[in-house]
Every structure is written in structure tokens, then in C-alpha cells.
Amino acid sequence: MSRRGLAAVSSVLDQAASSATNILVLVLAARLSSASGFAAFSMVYVTFSVLLGLNMAYVGQSVVLEHGERRAVACRSAVAFTGSASLLVGAALALVGLVLPGPAGWAFLALGAVLPLVLVQDGLRYCFSALRTPERALAADALRLVCVVGALLLQPSGAAPGRLVLVWGVSALPALALGLLLLRPYVRDLRADLRPYLRRGHLGQRFVIEFAVGNGSSQLAVLGLGVFATPLAVGALRGATTLFGPLNVLFNSANAFGPPMLLRRGGKRAVVRTTAALGLVLAVLGAGWAAVLYVLPDRLGRQLLGDTWGSAAALLPATGAQYAAMGLGTCALLTLRVLAPKATLAVQLIFSVLSVILLLVGYVLWGAPGAAWGLAAGSALKALAAWTRVARLPLPSSAPAPTPSPVPN
């Protein structure tokens, strides 16, 4: 296998390891917790997911765009900035935890304590990507997967959310140490420069906007249900989406590796034929996976999600419809990113806000099932709008080079 082929395989496997870690963390937490305990854990994990996405957009995406000799300096600076920023954000989360009552307060306090560990460890993936050594990221993330699963399996049934968050975070230490050790040969004797991250016009600011409207808005809306309505709704929605984790791996891989492959296809017609076919495949996989989960015996479902299975299973039709629509929408946005990069932000902004509105209106009218169907309707409308925008594009002779866009973790 060529060096380029090995790097591509390592990148896909690394994305799979990272996604598997997130899936298994939620599955094991659901099995160990009561329904209310998993709801509190889910609120904290949604918060972490938003912070992880923001760090990926602001720091990670700008790092992978560096070229030449600046890559090593950029990696050293990225690690230093992530560590410093996460210390400040972690302190703020700890204060929130001291104010919130009950298990949720302890869970947020634990998240504040471990946030620098988990964010820096995850951020190393982008450094290794920039350095064209994804196999090193794979080694660290595979160790992370083994350590977190092993640590959570040792926890007793009924463990408090705060304890689970603390164990999850501390288990990142071995992978963090390995990652820093593997990075050291590239950044030895280099000084970190944090000024670019604090400067107005930093490239990551654009990526943060796209993440915020494309991903963070729905995550924050789900989190808001736990603050203003009932945390059990958060647990049900989070449990249902956890079961669709394998599809997230496919969506992320399409976004990460799709543009270079599509650029070789030629003009608009060839690109659209490819992405339309891929979108249909992903939509069928989403619907098929939902059907498999829907007929899963309750005994097996409870082994996956524990007490949360009952409430999550009721949302499977809506969540399956959402992921089928997301498959189509992901490929439509991928098409726009290659053919008309500036067109994606408007679509993301308008229809992500609409998805949040539909989620909240659905919850008010029909509870958690209504919220899930609201998300499904929002995803379907976003896909329809994106493909309509694709159909209105002119017919260029060849596809222009894409503008990089943040990829969700």
C-alpha cells in the first residue's frame, strides 16, 4: 500500500475510533445509570460536544490548513492555546456546577476539572493530520478507546453522573501522554505563538460560525430542554441519537474525504450524479438502521441503553427519519462545498435556526416525540433547500477548488 493510501486508511480508522469512543461512552453510561442519572450525564456530555466542536472549528481546522515549515509551529501553538482556553472554560463550568443543585451540579463540576485533558487529547488529532502522520493520531485515539471503555466497565451499577464524568475524563491521561510523546519530535525547541488565535480575522472565526449554525444550535437546543423543561427529554433524545452513531462515522468520513475525490470527477453533472447516488445510499442506510433498531427486542435494547431504552425506543421512527434526511442533506452540502463554497453558510444558517424552532415547538406540543419529529422535519427541509440550491447552479466546465469547512467530531 502506498504512503498516501496508508494515510487515508489511518484517517478513516482514526475517525472511526473517535466516533466509537463517543458512542460507547454514552452506551456504557446509559447502562450504568438510572434514567434520571443518564439525563444528567447527557446534559454534561452535550455541553462537552458543543465545546469540542467549537475547539475543532476554531483551532483544529485552521491547523490542518497550514503548509510547509509553519505546520510544526502551528501544532505547538494549537496545543498551548487549547490547554490555556480549556483551563478558563473549565473553571467557568466548575462555577456552574457549584451553583446547580443535585447530581447535575456535581457532573458539571467534574467536567470543568477534566475538560483540559479531553480537549487537548482530542486536539492532537488535528496536529497529526497537519503533519501528515494520521497513524500517530490513530495510535493515541485507539489507546483512548481502550482506556475509557475499561475504566467505565469497572464502575458499579448506579454510579453517580459526576463520578462517570470524572472517570471518563481521567481515562484520557494515557492517550494524552502518548499523543504528546508522539508529537514531541516535531515541536521540540519550538515556541508557541498564541497571538494568531487572539487576532481579529483569525480563520477559525469563520469556521466557528459555520459550526454554530450547522451543529451547535441543535445541540444547545437539546441542552435547553433539560434546563427549561425536563432533563429526561435530553436523555431520551441523546439515547436515540447514540444508537445512530455508526452513521455519524459515515457522514464525517464523507465530509472529510469527499471533496478531493469529487474534484477528480470533472464538471457539475459528474459531481451531482456522484453525490446524489451517495446521498440515496446514506438515506437508505439511515432508514434501514432505524428499522433494525425498531424491531430490536427490549431485552437487547436494555443491554444497550439500560433504563433509558424505553424512552429512546419511542423516538426511533423520528430519529430514523432525521438520519435519512441528514444523509441526503450531507451530500447536498458536500456538493455545494465543491461547486459553490460560499453557498453553504446561508443554507446552514437559515435551516439550522428553523430546526431549532421546530424542535422547541414540537416539544411544547407533543413532548420528546414532538421534539424528535421537529428535528427530522428540520433536517428534511435543509436537505430540500440544499439540493434546490444545487439544481440552480450554473454548469461550469470543471469544479473549482473548495473552501475548507469544519467537519463535525
Side-chain angles (χ1 to χ4, degrees):
M1 183 181 293
S2 66
R3 171 68 184 172
R4 182 175 298 180
L6 180 61
V9 171
S10 297
S11 297
V12 173
L13 291 176
D14 180 57
Q15 179 63 54
S18 179
S19 299
T21 299
N22 292 330
I23 296 168
L24 290 174
V25 164
L26 288 166
V27 168
L28 291 173
R31 292 182 62 182
L32 291 168
S33 307
S34 63
S36 59
F38 183 67
F41 182 90
S42 296
M43 290 177 63
V44 172
Y45 208 78
V46 168
T47 303
F48 163 72
S49 298
V50 171
L51 294 173
L52 182 67
L54 290 174
N55 186 67
M56 174 273 294
Y58 194 80
V59 181
Q61 287 297 307
S62 61
V63 168
V64 299
L65 296 178
E66 295 289 350
H67 299 282
E69 297 179 354
R70 284 193 49 82
R71 291 182 297 179
V73 176
C75 290
R76 181 65 178 263
S77 303
V79 172
F81 179 81
T82 300
S84 302
S86 59
L87 281 172
L88 294 176
V89 177
L93 287 173
L95 291 176
V96 171
L98 292 174
V99 173
L100 288 178
W106 286 107
F108 273 100
L109 184 62
L111 178 61
V114 302
L115 188 66
L117 301 179
V118 292
L119 282 189
V120 173
Q121 191 276 320
D122 185 85
L124 291 173
R125 292 196 297 132
Y126 301 96
C127 294
F128 291 125
S129 177
L131 295 169
R132 311 295 192 266
T133 57
E135 66 278 2
R136 299 193 176 212
L138 175 59
D141 286 335
L143 179 61
R144 170 64 169 144
L145 174 60
V146 172
C147 289
V148 71
V149 170
L152 289 176
L153 285 175
L154 293 175
Q155 303 310 303
S157 179
R163 173 173 176 164
L164 294 177
V165 172
L166 193 62
V167 169
W168 158 76
V170 172
S171 67
L173 274 172
L176 174 60
L178 176 61
L180 292 174
L181 182 65
L182 294 174
L183 182 65
R184 188 171 184 272
Y186 298 93
V187 301
R188 187 189 294 117
D189 301 327
L190 297 178
R191 296 185 61 183
D193 183 10
L194 303 185
R195 288 174 297 178
Y197 293 103
L198 305 175
R199 192 175 297 143
R200 186 176 181 180
H202 172 58
L203 187 60
Q205 294 169 6
R206 178 183 182 275
F207 296 147
V208 164
I209 294 174
E210 286 210 15
F211 168 78
V213 300
N215 301 87
S217 56
S218 59
Q219 295 271 31
L220 289 173
V222 173
L223 183 62
L225 291 180
V227 175
F228 301 107
T230 168
L232 292 176
V234 177
L237 287 169
R238 194 63 177 175
T241 55
T242 297
L243 296 171
F244 287 82
L247 292 177
N248 288 329
V249 176
L250 296 178
F251 295 164
N252 290 338
S253 296
N255 277 307
F257 304 105
M261 297 176 61
L262 291 174
L263 287 173
R264 303 191 191 104
R265 301 293 296 175
K268 175 189 172 183
R269 287 191 179 92
V271 170
V272 171
R273 280 198 299 266
T274 303
T275 53
L278 179 60
L280 289 174
V281 169
L282 292 177
V284 170
L285 286 175
W289 186 244
V292 170
L293 293 172
Y294 191 72
V295 299
L296 199 68
D298 283 345
R299 177 178 56 84
L300 295 178
R302 291 187 180 279
Q303 288 180 355
L304 285 173
L305 292 182
D307 292 342
T308 306
W309 167 254
S311 56
L315 307 185
L316 286 176
T319 306
Q322 178 192 355
Y323 271 81
M326 284 171 61
L328 293 170
T330 295
C331 291
L333 291 171
L334 181 59
T335 309
L336 290 176
R337 192 169 301 134
V338 172
L339 298 175
K342 294 182 179 180
T344 59
L345 183 57
V347 175
Q348 290 274 40
L349 177 61
I350 295 172
F351 288 92
S352 294
V353 172
L354 179 60
S355 292
V356 171
I357 294 173
L358 292 173
L359 178 150
L360 296 175
V361 170
Y363 180 79
V364 170
L365 295 178
W366 299 291
W373 280 111
L375 286 174
S379 296
L381 290 173
K382 181 188 289 189
L384 178 62
W387 279 114
T388 301
R389 184 70 179 85
V390 169
R392 292 177 178 174
L393 291 176
L395 289 173
S397 56
S398 61
T403 297
S405 180
V407 178
N409 188 38

